[in-house]
Amino acid sequence: MHSTVLAATNLTGAVGPVPATAVGIGLLIVMVFGVIGKGKKRLNTGPAQLVGAFGEITFLKSNGFPRNIGDAVQSVTSGIATNPDLGDIGMVGVCIVLLALMFFARIVPASGVFLGMLLAGAMAAAPGSLWKVIVGFISLPLSLLGVS
């Protein structure tokens, strides 16, 4: 008797191919209504940060206006990283500052979404394998859906 363990590499067989733009628009809706809280659910600060990070990575992988949102957020972190008035702290410095803000500053869900987006955009642009591993971990649910 043989038992075979099937490892699912992605869920496209179950849900079909999912474009990054569709996931990005869905996460944008979750961000807006989750922060406003007019619906059934409202995001707390921690989940808002995570949704923001997922959103930014998805926006950077998509086409159309979600890609424009992702590029705009990433350009904010690039501008901070190369600002000579700040002493040219670099993208790694921006990541460290954003992580410190996310963990220690008192923030509300709206700023949590924005900080999550900024951190994910900075990590995607930062040199070094640690940041790429974190971005890969954030991208894992997207790769299970077949989003490249």
Side-chain angles (χ1 to χ4, degrees), residues 24 30-31 75 81 94 102 108 117 121 125 136 141:
V30 169
M31 285 183 222
S75 71
V94 171
M102 288 176 75
V108 296
M117 290 177 70

Side-chain angles (χ1 to χ4, degrees), residues 19-38:
T21 304
V23 176
I25 292 171
L27 285 170
L28 185 62
I29 292 168
V30 169
M31 285 183 222
V32 170
F33 286 105
V35 168
I36 294 171
K38 299 289 184 187

Side-chain angles (χ1 to χ4, degrees), residues 47-101:
Q49 293 172 351
L50 192 59
V51 168
F54 279 123
E56 176 63 14
I57 296 299
T58 307
F59 295 158
L60 291 173
K61 291 177 179 261
S62 63
N63 297 317
F65 82 90
R67 177 63 189 218
N68 296 337
I69 295 170
D71 289 341
V73 170
Q74 199 170 40
S75 71
V76 170
T77 58
S78 299
I80 295 169
T82 58
N83 188 345
D85 294 335
L86 296 176
D88 194 24
I89 63 172
M91 197 59 79
V92 174
V94 171
C95 291
I96 292 169
V97 167
L98 289 170
L99 279 171
L101 285 173

